[in-house]
C-alpha cells in the first residue's frame, strides 16, 4: 500500500517540474504548428516538410524551427496583431458613423476651440454651428 508519506517531498517537486515542462513543450509544439500553417510565405511542400520533421523528431524539430524561423514568428505575430487592430479601428469608425472628413462632434469641438481662442466671433460660431447641424 502506497501512502502519501511514502513519496518524499523532493520527488513530488521533481514530478511536478517534469509534468509542467512536458505541458510547456506541448504548448510550444502547437504554437509552432499554428505559426507554420498561418505563414503564407511558405509553400505547401515546405509546410509538409516542417510538419513531418516536427512529428518524426519532435524535440529536434522544435529546436531547429526556433533557431531557423524563431525571429519570423514574432514578426508574423506582430503583423497579425497590427492588422487585427486596424480592422477593429476601421469597424469602430464605421460603426460610430465617422467619415474621412470628421464627425459632427469633431467639427463642433473644433468650432468651440476656434471661438474660445478668439479666431471667430460668436455670430460666426452660431452660423457655422447651424450649418454643421443642418
Amino acid at each position: 500500500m502506497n501512502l502519501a508519506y511514502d513519496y518524499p517531498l523532493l520527488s513530488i517537486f521533481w514530478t511536478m517540474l517534469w509534468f509542467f515542462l512536458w505541458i510547456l513543450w506541448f504548448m510550444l509544439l502547437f504554437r509552432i504548428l499554428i505559426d507554420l500553417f498561418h505563414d503564407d510565405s511558405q509553400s505547401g511542400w515546405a509546410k509538409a516538410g516542417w510538419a513531418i520533421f516536427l512529428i518524426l523528431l519532435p524535440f529536434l524539430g522544435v529546436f531547429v524551427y526556433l533557431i531557423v524561423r524563431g525571429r519570423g514568428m514574432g514578426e508574423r505575430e506582430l503583423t497579425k496583431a497590427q492588422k487585427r487592430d486596424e480592422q477593429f479601428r476601421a469597424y469602430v469608425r464605421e460603426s460610430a458613423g465617422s467619415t474621412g472628413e470628421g464627425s459632427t462632434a469633431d467639427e463642433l469641438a473644433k468650432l468651440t476651440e476656434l471661438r474660445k481662442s478668439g479666431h471667430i466671433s460668436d455670430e460666426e460660431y452660431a452660423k457655422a454651428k447651424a450649418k454643421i447641424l443642418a
Side-chain angles (χ1 to χ4, degrees):
M1 178 179 228
N2 246 347
L3 298 175
Y5 59 84
D6 289 339
Y7 200 63
L9 185 61
L10 188 59
S11 295
I12 292 172
F13 172 76
W14 283 112
T15 302
M16 288 176 54
L17 179 70
W18 282 111
F19 176 73
F20 286 117
L21 285 175
W22 184 67
I23 296 296
L24 180 68
W25 182 80
F26 270 113
M27 289 174 58
L28 185 60
L29 179 67
F30 289 129
R31 173 69 177 91
I32 287 173
L33 286 171
I34 289 169
D35 177 69
L36 177 65
F37 288 106
H38 282 172
D39 185 13
D40 293 332
S41 66
Q42 293 269 323
S43 69
W45 289 105
K47 290 178 184 182
W50 273 111
I52 290 170
F53 187 46
L54 287 167
I55 291 169
L56 294 179
L57 298 169
F59 288 106
L60 183 63
V62 166
F63 293 131
V64 170
Y65 189 88
L66 288 176
I67 291 169
V68 173
R69 299 180 43 86
R71 178 176 294 211
M73 287 176 68
E75 292 169 356
R76 284 186 293 277
E77 189 63 32
L78 179 64
T79 303
K80 283 187 349 187
Q82 289 172 340
K83 187 176 179 182
R84 282 192 306 260
D85 184 54
E86 181 55 40
Q87 289 173 344
F88 174 74
R89 289 179 186 276
Y91 172 74
V92 169
R93 280 192 298 270
E94 180 184 320
S95 296
S98 103
T99 61
E101 309 101 31
S103 67
T104 304
D106 292 336
E107 292 179 25
L108 288 174
K110 289 176 188 175
L111 274 177
T112 303
E113 287 299 317
L114 288 173
R115 184 179 70 172
K116 285 181 182 177
S117 67
H119 288 87
I120 60 173
S121 66
D122 290 334
E123 295 83 26
E124 291 172 326
Y125 172 78
K127 288 179 186 177
K129 182 179 174 184
K131 185 177 180 182
I132 291 172
L133 294 176

